Amino acid sequence: MIINGKEISQKIKDQLKIQINELKQQKKRVPLLAVVLVGHDQASEVYVRNKVKACEYIGIASQVIRKENNCTQDELLSIIEKLNKDVHVDGILVQLPLPAHIDEEIIIRSINPDKDVDGFHPINVAKLFLNEEGFIPCTPHGMMVMLDEIGYNPGGKEVVVVGRSNIVGKPVSLLMLHKNATVTIAHSYTTHLKEITQRADVLITAVGKAKFFDQSYIKEGAVVLDVGINRDENGKLCGDCNYQDMAEKAYAITPVPGGVGPMTIAMLMTNTLLAYHRRSYGI
Ligand code: NDP
């Protein structure tokens, strides 16, 4: 089974669009997402464009604040402070990576946790750890929704996550744990990686290495969620998994492109509407 992230994310965006239309019919204001982009990183430009496009499709208002590469940390902090205080702004997203002279951790910590739709602020990280309501980082959240969509309950299953980053590996491991999976987190110091991944009922690959995994890494009937976005030897977009090869052995697998990637934006939109509702009604 191909887990079609494009289709699932479209479904989510269409549901959100209906909710925004209802707000408009009730003459209520619509949510506003503020995106801060520093510099001209090509990938970041594409990500921001796609986020704005998704907002436009759904009917969420968006505001992009562009700053040149030489923007200072203090300037950026004062922009965020303004956005924190602006009652019309529901969600704030600072596109990463930031130029090297700016400390990302300081910037992330300066965002009001109630507007932190990326879910990277330590308060939201702690809430995820405690399984309390906060903002769940978009990519891991998207993967959980995908499993739900195919009717797969990870409860009691062996989930192996390869990669331990703060934005993907660690949060998805916690989400899986909260769903009662038995979770193993592997990383670059892991020995006998294959023996571990072969045990997985669900394998999540988030290493950022083109076609690193083939079918020898999985058991028959495993579910594979491929987070990686890489370029292969021909410059074509590909995941961490050799998709064609693993699809023969897996029960279900996400393609790249068109798998986990589109889910990230759909969950960002979901978080923005959630921020709006929490701020508007105090729920
Ligand atoms: P990071 O580079 O932060 O983390 C990579 C992880 O992989 C690290 O934990 C590293 O281990 C581990 N790793 C590297 N090599 C190996 C190896 N040989 N064996 C086992 N583990 C290894 O990446 P991110 O988590 O930010 O992203 C991972 C991939 O996902 C990238 O391709 C990125 O582009 C993509 N991505 C996709 C998103 C989407 O929307 N689909 C969103 C975010 C990321 P160690 O900690 O020991 O260094």
Side-chain angles (χ1 to χ4, degrees), residues 229-244:
I229 302 179
N230 317 292
R231 298 266 169 198
D232 69 9
E233 59 283 3
N234 303 316
K236 250 182 83 181
L237 218 56
C238 71
D240 290 342
C241 295
N242 185 329
Y243 174 77
Q244 299 296 349

Side-chain angles (χ1 to χ4, degrees), residues 167-206:
I167 59 167
V168 183
K170 281 184 207 164
V172 79
S173 304
L174 283 167
L175 290 170
M176 288 290 179
L177 186 63
H178 297 327
K179 288 280 179 198
N180 301 316
T182 303
V183 184
T184 303
I185 308 174
H187 44 77
S188 69
Y189 288 78
T190 300
T191 50
H192 312 298
L193 179 64
K194 207 178 262 193
E195 280 171 32
I196 295 167
T197 59
Q198 281 170 346
R199 289 204 315 255
D201 297 306
V202 180
L203 174 65
I204 296 175
T205 61

Side-chain angles (χ1 to χ4, degrees), residues 208-254:
K209 295 203 160 130
K211 298 183 185 173
F212 181 87
F213 299 90
D214 60 24
Q215 63 169 259
S216 67
Y217 279 86
I218 52 168
K219 68 177 180 190
E220 195 81 41
V223 173
V224 180
L225 304 178
D226 186 356
V227 186
I229 302 179
N230 317 292
R231 298 266 169 198
D232 69 9
E233 59 283 3
N234 303 316
K236 250 182 83 181
L237 218 56
C238 71
D240 290 342
C241 295
N242 185 329
Y243 174 77
Q244 299 296 349
D245 182 61
M246 290 172 87
E248 288 171 13
K249 200 172 178 185
Y251 161 66
I253 184 166
T254 59

Side-chain angles (χ1 to χ4, degrees), residues 1-10 12-13 47 50-51 137-150 161-162 165 167-169 171-172 175-176 202-207 223-230 237-241 243 252-269:
M1 187 201 302
I2 300 168
I3 312 178
N4 190 330
K6 233 176 140 178
E7 255 175 46
I8 301 169
S9 74
Q10 188 59 46
I12 294 169
K13 286 191 282 187
Y47 290 141
N50 289 340
K51 286 166 189 176
C138 302
T139 304
H141 195 184
M143 283 188 263
M144 302 310 286
V145 172
M146 283 180 133
L147 285 187
D148 224 36
E149 278 289 323
I150 63 162
V161 181
V162 191
S165 72
I167 59 167
V168 183
V172 79
L175 290 170
M176 288 290 179
V202 180
L203 174 65
I204 296 175
T205 61
V207 300
V223 173
V224 180
L225 304 178
D226 186 356
V227 186
I229 302 179
N230 317 292
L237 218 56
C238 71
D240 290 342
C241 295
Y243 174 77
I253 184 166
T254 59
V256 177
V260 175
M263 295 301 294
T264 302
I265 290 196
M267 301 327 292
L268 173 68
M269 298 295 114

